[in-house]
Amino acid sequence: MAVAAALRQLGRPYVWGGGSSAGPTRGGFDCSGLALHAWARAGVRLTHYTGSQFRQGRRVPFSRLRPGDLVFFGGGTGDPAHVGVYAGGGRMIHAPRRGDVVKVTIFATSSYYRARYRGAIRPTG
């Protein structure tokens, strides 16, 4: 259900701070707003901050990722800086950056994303 909700937002513009449980705000989403919206459609409440979303579920090893899991990237040793909704097949749905749109990216074989991969969670409650 979370994946379907995220896929319905493909093409929406990236908007810093954008997104809510109800949908886009100011016309779009940022990465954590898209994750928050997708999981709200599945009945799970998340905060609108990547760092706290990283702590709002059960850790999932890369080898056990399932569609809907949240995948996190960057941030060095601090909070992750980016989140996407795992879509299966090494792909994620995400709102990458200003000037871009919500899209599907193959991250599992991307040297950029794999080097910045921080882990994944399966949201709970």
Side-chain angles (χ1 to χ4, degrees), residues 35-57:
L36 174 161
H37 171 70
W39 274 94
R41 301 293 92 195
V44 175
R45 219 176 149 160
L46 297 174
T47 60
H48 193 161
Y49 172 62
T50 302
S52 57
Q53 288 178 352
F54 193 51
R55 296 181 284 278
Q56 289 186 278

Side-chain angles (χ1 to χ4, degrees), residues 2-68:
V3 171
L7 285 170
R8 283 192 293 276
Q9 303 308 320
L10 290 177
R12 291 252 187 206
Y14 176 93
V15 173
W16 176 258
S20 73
S21 59
T25 57
R26 297 188 314 279
F29 292 93
D30 67 8
C31 64
S32 59
L34 180 64
L36 174 161
H37 171 70
W39 274 94
R41 301 293 92 195
V44 175
R45 219 176 149 160
L46 297 174
T47 60
H48 193 161
Y49 172 62
T50 302
S52 57
Q53 288 178 352
F54 193 51
R55 296 181 284 278
Q56 289 186 278
R58 185 172 54 84
R59 295 290 171 130
V60 179
F62 188 84
S63 62
R64 295 191 182 262
L65 284 173
R66 289 195 321 222

Side-chain angles (χ1 to χ4, degrees), residues 101-113:
V101 297
V102 174
K103 63 184 174 184
V104 176
T105 297
I106 299 171
F107 75 93
T109 56
S110 159
S111 58
Y112 177 85
Y113 284 107

Side-chain angles (χ1 to χ4, degrees), residues 63-89:
S63 62
R64 295 191 182 262
L65 284 173
R66 289 195 321 222
D69 290 342
L70 298 181
V71 289
F72 294 86
F73 306 88
T77 58
D79 286 340
H82 187 63
V83 61
V85 178
Y86 186 63

